[in-house]
Amino acid sequence: RETANHIRFKNDLSKMIDLALTDPEKLSGETAVRPADESEIASLPNLKNQNLQGQPLALSDLTGKVVVVEFWATWCPPCRSTLAWLGNVKKEHGENLAIVAIAVESPEDEVRKLTSALKFQIQFVMGTDSLVEPFGSLSSVPKMFVFDKSGKTAAIFYGAPEELHVKVARVLNELLK
């Protein structure tokens, strides 16, 4: 609905068309995950914000941990299943893993209602322009970033392909060794 979002969507679509024309193999199921390239962020941005409980969330709180940042929306069914899955992954890996779920294009009351039902140790945050902007183009959800313990971007996942959870688990297991 906003001009900036429309422009980002057009740019992302252009990238995908160019990729399809120059290297169609990259559009296979394997492209749901890939290392960050020059057009994406190289490391975890400084997350100065508050979670839905009003507690501060800052980059310093995430230092030394593997971090997953999931962009999601209340109207996105695959996002909901991924949040539940991430909650279980957090339980499994404990303090070695931090998960920040940033809600976008969703009314705060709906976000609060949905997240109150999820009793997971996930940092739920409302996505403001200043919080989302450092992550680059966000033309669709879900979009997931995985950062290693030093804060470097390890992988970016687009959409919700059938094998998403398996691929994310593979990356996380490697980073959490």
Side-chain angles (χ1 to χ4, degrees), residues 68 70-72 76-89 99 101 118 120 122 142-144 157 159-161 164-165 168:
V68 173
E70 169 77 347
F71 287 93
W72 67 284
C76 168
C79 297
R80 292 177 184 208
S81 67
T82 295
L83 289 175
W85 178 79
L86 285 170
N88 290 325
V89 170
I99 299 174
L118 301 171
F120 298 124
I122 294 175
K143 185 173 183 180
M144 182 187 302
F157 297 85
L164 174 66
H165 298 168
V168 175

Side-chain angles (χ1 to χ4, degrees), residues 60-152:
S60 60
D61 300 329
L62 306 173
T63 302
K65 298 179 181 184
V66 171
V67 178
V68 173
V69 177
E70 169 77 347
F71 287 93
W72 67 284
T74 55
W75 46 263
C76 168
C79 297
R80 292 177 184 208
S81 67
T82 295
L83 289 175
W85 178 79
L86 285 170
N88 290 325
V89 170
K90 171 65 177 156
K91 280 183 195 175
E92 180 183 338
H93 294 289
E95 291 304 310
N96 296 320
L97 176 65
I99 299 174
V100 180
I102 301 174
V104 295
E105 298 181 9
S106 301
E108 187 172 341
D109 62 329
E110 289 181 26
V111 171
R112 288 184 179 280
K113 182 179 177 182
L114 184 115
T115 59
S116 68
L118 301 171
K119 303 292 182 195
F120 298 124
Q121 295 179 349
I122 294 175
Q123 295 282 336
F124 289 103
V125 179
M126 292 302 300
T128 62
D129 288 343
S130 62
L131 182 63
V132 174
E133 185 179 337
F135 287 89
S137 177
L138 183 65
S139 57
S140 64
V141 292
K143 185 173 183 180
M144 182 187 302
F145 293 82
V146 178
F147 301 93
D148 66 16
K149 291 179 183 179
S150 66
K152 182 180 175 206

